[in-house]
């Protein structure tokens, strides 16, 4: 099949030089529109990103966008293949990409494209900054205290896909082994899965180690071990703070502490100001990042990134919302702010700052999409594209 991807001729590819990102003034960056509302939010967000770059750098810098294909659009171009090898190869080649939401059927159909992408490219770190923007409706009494970055292991845990349905030969073989060799009792005919955790590249602070002692408990142990062996000059444990420093962390030291996952959900509501960076396993991170996002406006404005040693794919963290597809209606902020993370990743901080400084100004003006308008008094409901236009206008003022 002929290639469907057209690399922009006037751009240059981002490369890795000496173990670090080398970004030209005219980088080629890949994008996947996504399914459902994906095209709407991608068009709007791209207008804002391009405007921010132009305002920050004039004609000296420009992103050359290269469309890549996954999901339903890929299926129409690649004879039903929703996950073409050409796209994976292009992402590796271009190094940096951003994507809209992709369809994932529940309980059947093809496997999650998001999970497949992370595992195929070994995008082992999911990074989810969660921060309150003034003016955004929130159920919290003091939402301004929420300002954390959640680092979530991205390819293992229940997302490793090691599971066997009831009645399958694999299920029966595993069940026999567990009952006869490991003396494990469970209901006849149960579906079986394995939670695989290796701990590589992970610092575990939030865990369920009180129950899963040899997987999540091991993450906790490895986290402290890593801090002790590689960052001893800049870290101190929470126990040491109380034992050696009377409860006051010494200046210049990062405090390493851990919390059971259950209590962490409460603490992020009751005492969010106590936390800055959260590192956790995959499923814990999935739940926690969405729950914390609800404190500052919801998943509709929650950005995210999936990162390997260098390859990075930024993404909207919500679903495809097919009932709103092509209506120019939904909030583009999750993808928009993921693009801010992308700009920060390629070290175009001035363009990133233009957007983050402008975003709360537009929110405070009450120019918001329907999801915020129904929660705010005296708001002016605007469309997806109108919200982008308001941001651009404010950046120019």
């Amino acid at each position: 099949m002929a290639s469907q991807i057209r690399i922009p001729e006037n751009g240059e590819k981002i490369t890795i030089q000496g173990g670090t990102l080398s970004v030209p003034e005219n980088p080629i960056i890949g994008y996947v529109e996504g399914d459902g509302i994906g095209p709407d939010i991608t068009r709007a967000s791209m207008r804002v990103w391009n405007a921010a770059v132009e305002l920050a750098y004039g004609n000296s810098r420009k992103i050359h966008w290269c469309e890549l294909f996954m999901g339903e659009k890929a299926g129409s171009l690649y004879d039903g293949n929703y996950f073409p090898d050409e796209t994976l190869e292009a992402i590796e080649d271009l190094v940096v990409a951003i994507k809209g939401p992709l369809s994932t059927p529940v309980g059947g159909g093809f496997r999650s494209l998001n999970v497949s992408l992370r595992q195929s490219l070994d995008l082992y770190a999911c990074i989810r900054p969660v921060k309150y923007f003034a003016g955004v409706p929130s159920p919290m009494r003091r939402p301004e205290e929420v300002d954390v970055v959640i680092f979530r292991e991205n390819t293992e845990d229940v997302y490793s896909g090691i599971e066997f349905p009831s009645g399958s030969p694999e299920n029966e073989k595993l069940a026999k082994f567990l009952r006869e060799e490991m003396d494990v009792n469970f209901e006849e005919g149960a579906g079986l899965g394995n939670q695989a955790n290796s701990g590589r590249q992970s610092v575990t602070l939030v865990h369920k180690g009180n129950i899963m002692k040899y997987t999540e408990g091991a993450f906790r142990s490895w986290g402290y071990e890593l801090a002790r062996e590689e960052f001893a000059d800049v870290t101190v444990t929470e126990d040491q703070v109380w034992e050696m420093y009377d409860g006051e962390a010494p200046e210049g030291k990062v405090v390493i502490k851990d919390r059971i996952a259950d209590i962490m959900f409460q603490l992020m509501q009751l005492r969010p100001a106590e936390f800055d960076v959260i590192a956790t396993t995959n499923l814990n991170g999935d739940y926690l990042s969405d729950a914390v996002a609800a404190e500052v406006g919801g998943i509709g404005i929650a950005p995210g990134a999936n990162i390997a040693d260098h390859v990075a794919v930024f993404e909207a963290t919500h679903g495809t919302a097919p009932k709103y597809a092509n209506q120019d209606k939904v909030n583009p902020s999750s993808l928009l702010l993921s693009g801010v993370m992308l700009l920060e990743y390629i070290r175009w901080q001035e363009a990133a700052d233009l957007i983050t400084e402008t975003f709360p100004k537009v929110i405070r003006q009450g120019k918001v999409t329907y999801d915020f308008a129904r929660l705010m008094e005296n708001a002016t409901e605007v469309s997806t594209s109108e919200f982008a236009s308001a941001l651009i206008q404010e950046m120019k003022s």
Side-chain angles (χ1 to χ4, degrees), residues 8 39 68 82 104-105 115 156 209 211 264 302 315 353 361 374 380:
L68 311 176
Y82 280 50
T104 300
V115 173
E156 297 182 337
I211 304 298
M264 191 64 188
E315 66 178 356
D353 289 345
K361 294 179 182 178
R374 63 190 178 186
T380 300

Side-chain angles (χ1 to χ4, degrees), residues 120-162:
S120 297
L121 297 178
D122 194 23
L123 303 172
Y124 53 77
C126 176
I127 302 175
R128 294 278 299 271
V130 186
K131 178 182 179 180
Y132 178 68
F133 289 96
V136 172
S138 167
M140 299 282 286
R141 182 177 298 174
R142 293 185 295 275
E144 67 278 1
E145 294 182 356
V146 179
D147 187 1
V148 298
V149 180
I150 299 174
F151 287 80
R152 164 191 166 198
E153 195 288 316
N154 211 24
T155 60
E156 297 182 337
D157 206 339
V158 297
Y159 288 77
S160 59
I162 305 174

Side-chain angles (χ1 to χ4, degrees), residues 92-343:
E92 286 191 286
D93 186 40
L94 298 178
V95 182
V96 177
I98 191 164
K99 56 175 280 296
L102 297 170
S103 299
T104 300
V106 177
F110 54 82
R111 191 177 179 192
S112 167
L113 296 178
N114 295 315
V115 173
S116 296
L117 177 65
R118 297 165 193 165
Q119 293 182 339
S120 297
L121 297 178
D122 194 23
L123 303 172
Y124 53 77
C126 176
I127 302 175
R128 294 278 299 271
V130 186
K131 178 182 179 180
Y132 178 68
F133 289 96
V136 172
S138 167
M140 299 282 286
R141 182 177 298 174
R142 293 185 295 275
E144 67 278 1
E145 294 182 356
V146 179
D147 187 1
V148 298
V149 180
I150 299 174
F151 287 80
R152 164 191 166 198
E153 195 288 316
N154 211 24
T155 60
E156 297 182 337
D157 206 339
V158 297
Y159 288 77
S160 59
I162 305 174
E163 58 178 350
F164 308 107
S166 176
S168 68
E170 296 84 359
N171 178 289
E172 293 175 3
K173 185 175 181 179
L174 179 58
K176 181 178 180 182
F177 171 77
L178 290 173
R179 288 192 177 99
E180 297 180 3
E181 302 295 330
M182 303 298 292
D183 196 27
V184 177
N185 295 314
F186 49 88
E187 184 179 348
E188 191 71 35
L192 299 176
N194 178 37
Q195 179 178 336
N197 292 324
S198 73
R200 292 182 302 140
Q201 309 293 331
S202 295
V203 178
T204 303
L205 296 176
V206 176
H207 60 91
K208 193 65 178 169
N210 57 326
I211 304 298
M212 306 295 289
K213 299 181 185 298
Y214 305 112
T215 52
E216 298 203 19
F219 266 99
R220 173 186 179 278
S221 299
W222 285 320
Y224 281 112
E225 181 181 329
L226 178 65
R228 182 175 63 251
E229 295 184 357
E230 297 192 28
F231 302 100
D233 57 330
V234 293
T235 64
V236 61
T237 68
E238 188 174 35
D239 288 344
Q240 289 171 332
V241 169
W242 289 103
E243 293 169 0
M244 302 168 59
Y245 302 101
D246 295 324
E248 292 290 333
E251 188 173 346
K253 297 280 190 178
V254 175
V255 178
I256 307 297
K257 53 189 176 182
D258 71 276
R259 297 291 183 271
I260 300 297
D262 313 45
I263 193 65
M264 191 64 188
F265 282 82
Q266 295 185 51
L267 293 174
M268 281 307 303
Q269 295 178 64
L270 299 174
R271 304 202 298 271
E274 294 182 6
F275 303 96
D276 294 313
V277 174
I278 298 169
T280 188
T281 50
N282 200 328
L283 190 59
N284 288 337
D286 193 6
Y287 294 153
L288 187 60
S289 55
D290 286 359
V292 178
E295 299 177 359
V296 295
I299 197 171
I301 66 165
N306 305 291
I307 297 179
D309 288 346
H310 298 293
V311 176
V313 179
F314 300 82
E315 66 178 356
T317 59
H318 53 68
T320 59
K323 71 177 182 179
Y324 295 123
N326 303 313
Q327 295 184 27
D328 193 29
K329 182 179 179 68
V330 301
N331 192 335
S333 300
S334 176
L335 186 66
L336 176 72
L337 297 175
S338 296
V340 171
M341 294 179 69
L342 184 156
L343 291 169

